[in-house]
Amino acid sequence: MTRQFLFVTTIALVAAGHAFAAETRQNASDDKPSRPNVLFIAIDDQNDWIGALGGHPLAKTPHIDRLAQRGTVFLNAHCQAPLCNPSRTSLLLSLRPTTTGIYGLSPWFRTLDDWKDRVALPQHFKAHGYRTLTSGKIYHGGAGGPKQRAEEFDVWGPSGGIGIKPEKKLIGPTPMGNNPLMDWGVFPHKDEDKGDYQIASWAIEQLKSAPKDQPFFLATGFFLPHVPCYATQKWFDLYPDNDSVLPLVKENDRDDTPRFSWYLHWNLPEPRLKWVRENNQWRNLVRSYLACTSFVDEQVGRVLAALEEAGLSDNTVVVLWGDHGWHLGEKGITGKNTLWDRGTRVPLIFAGPGVSRGGRCTQPAELLDIYPTLIDLCRLTSRSDLEGISLAPQLHAASTQRERPAITSHNQGNHGIRSERWRYIRYADDSEELYDLQADPREWTNLVAKPEHAAVIAEHRRWLPKIDVPPAANSAHRLLTYDKQSDEAVWEGKVVRRSNPIPE
Ligand SMILES: [Ca+2]
Ligand SMILES: [Ca+2]
């Protein structure tokens, strides 16, 4: 954070404040139609295994698909960080992790002097007269005590989460510490006892009782298909119990990825492909993830049905997003923390006033674009301190070109640049990858050494973040740092050397 950047930001905020005051006065005196409501739906660890996105041919998500038909779906949308806390912080502030230094699961950005007073997306809506409500997982972790929480949203519903769970792990001990979250499978229970069912029910109640004279910003954050992925038999029955359900993987796919690519997920509780295969868990994991995705889809459907029944569909902007992707065997791993499409590509769907029906946009889009897009759709005062760019032109006409690619960063110095056709990755040690998604949608063949692609590589390098700050104070969990001079990487406080075997 440079002094100059802070100064410019302060000027911009003051200017925005004046503009807002002027507009508020104007609104009080005219009778413009009231602003649309916002229904803001987050799904944790939801990759592109959604019918409308085509990431998995068997994925059954009829309710989300219907939302996509009613609105516009971004087929090339990517998170700014492949991990909960940095991705959500980026989305809610419209700032890149490389600007805030939030790369790990902590800190909470409000604990940092630079960002403690930053106006987050729901706060900007509150400042425009909206009633703001939240339940489930929107920010990563709670916002602190009641006083701090009231600063973020007016009304707090249930926190959701796993809900009912088995007394002990279903799949037995997993490698790298037997983390209790690393579990999945068929578990008999009632859907009603799940955290996600309960937050959907709460959201439905809020829609039914929404005051008519005040617009709302209602945030609903689903936990599944984040692990542990428990579901009842009926959800598993949607998917074949044979190997046709498995994603296509290439054996030895990592032979042409740089060693540094392993450092981004060096030692984690999420098992490798080798382990899930050897322990007969691959198909069970894939089916569990899909079953939980379909379960969440049903909860989304319940909320959308309530929106319709309350007569609010025509005056409510719905945005649905996932915070990052998830591997289920591709590139030899399960879990997040990668810069490939499986780790970065997410659902991003808008519907409602100002959004074309049936739009399918293949232009690169970023989750931090949501903030300025909602400002546009709801005619709020614009802000000059956001790093996102409004998607309103694409919501009007999906084929409208975007100049900027989607950029994902995972710890300082590691960036993925996704254009309409290509993915370019550069790691902190300067190693690189290049994929032609048109010819190679699974990113199996790293083309970076091919001289004929020099121009493409140069064009993508141009988009590497110019601001690329080190981790913020008190950063922890899934943190990687690298010192070029000594060629020393440090993963979660431990030095990783070139000669260390890759952990399994
Ligand atoms: Ca997540
Ligand atoms: Ca490969």
Side-chain angles (χ1 to χ4, degrees), residues 34-160:
S34 62
R35 294 193 162 108
N37 307 301
V38 176
L39 176 57
F40 183 82
I41 302 173
I43 308 180
D44 206 3
D45 287 22
Q46 179 63 66
N47 67 14
D48 58 4
W49 288 10
I50 297 286
L53 268 74
H56 191 296
L58 302 179
K60 288 193 175 64
T61 56
H63 302 285
I64 296 174
D65 297 352
R66 210 158 35 242
L67 179 70
Q69 279 166 13
R70 183 159 89 70
T72 292
V73 54
F74 287 88
L75 298 167
N76 194 10
H78 300 270
C79 61
Q80 273 49 80
L83 186 63
C84 306
N85 186 45
S87 173
R88 289 160 185 260
T89 301
S90 167
L91 187 156
L92 287 148
L93 299 183
S94 194
L95 291 173
R96 296 187 187 284
T98 44
T99 300
T100 62
I102 307 277
Y103 299 110
L105 293 177
S106 55
W108 160 240
F109 69 94
R110 294 290 184 208
T111 63
L112 300 170
D113 282 345
D114 284 343
W115 313 115
K116 67 179 183 344
D117 297 323
R118 186 74 174 198
V119 177
L121 170 62
Q123 293 176 326
H124 192 58
F125 274 79
K126 183 184 167 74
H128 286 76
Y130 278 70
R131 184 164 180 257
T132 62
L133 309 92
T134 186
S135 68
K137 183 167 166 181
I138 296 299
Y139 284 109
H140 179 78
K147 193 161 168 284
Q148 289 106 314
R149 281 159 55 126
E151 298 281 318
E152 307 296 342
F153 286 95
D154 296 328
V155 185
W156 286 72
S159 53

Side-chain angles (χ1 to χ4, degrees), residues 229-261:
C229 292
Y230 304 126
T232 57
Q233 188 65 47
K234 75 168 174 176
W235 298 105
F236 279 78
D237 287 344
L238 294 173
Y239 299 98
D241 192 5
N242 60 50
D243 286 351
S244 71
V245 78
L246 298 178
L248 280 179
V249 302
K250 184 178 193 283
E251 299 307 318
N252 306 316
D253 194 7
R254 297 298 282 271
D255 286 0
D256 62 354
T257 72
R259 176 177 167 84
F260 207 93
S261 71

Side-chain angles (χ1 to χ4, degrees), residues 260-339:
F260 207 93
S261 71
W262 286 101
Y263 291 6
L264 269 57
H265 43 257
W266 183 248
N267 197 332
L268 286 172
E270 293 91 339
R272 313 291 199 196
L273 175 60
K274 185 168 182 282
W275 186 91
V276 291
R277 271 178 168 160
E278 286 173 356
N279 291 272
N280 199 27
Q281 283 298 331
W282 192 16
R283 193 199 301 165
N284 189 21
L285 170 60
V286 168
R287 290 181 82 223
S288 300
Y289 186 88
L290 285 165
C292 289
T293 294
S294 292
F295 171 81
V296 165
D297 175 73
E298 173 99 349
Q299 307 319 311
V300 170
R302 292 176 58 219
V303 175
L304 294 177
L307 186 75
E308 197 144 316
E309 280 159 28
L312 294 166
S313 284
D314 290 344
N315 196 34
T316 300
V317 173
V318 181
V319 55
L320 179 144
W321 52 275
D323 66 346
H324 51 74
W326 224 75
H327 287 246
L328 289 107
E330 305 92 337
K331 293 263 184 300
I333 58 166
T334 72
K336 39 210 172 193
N337 310 115
T338 80
L339 296 173

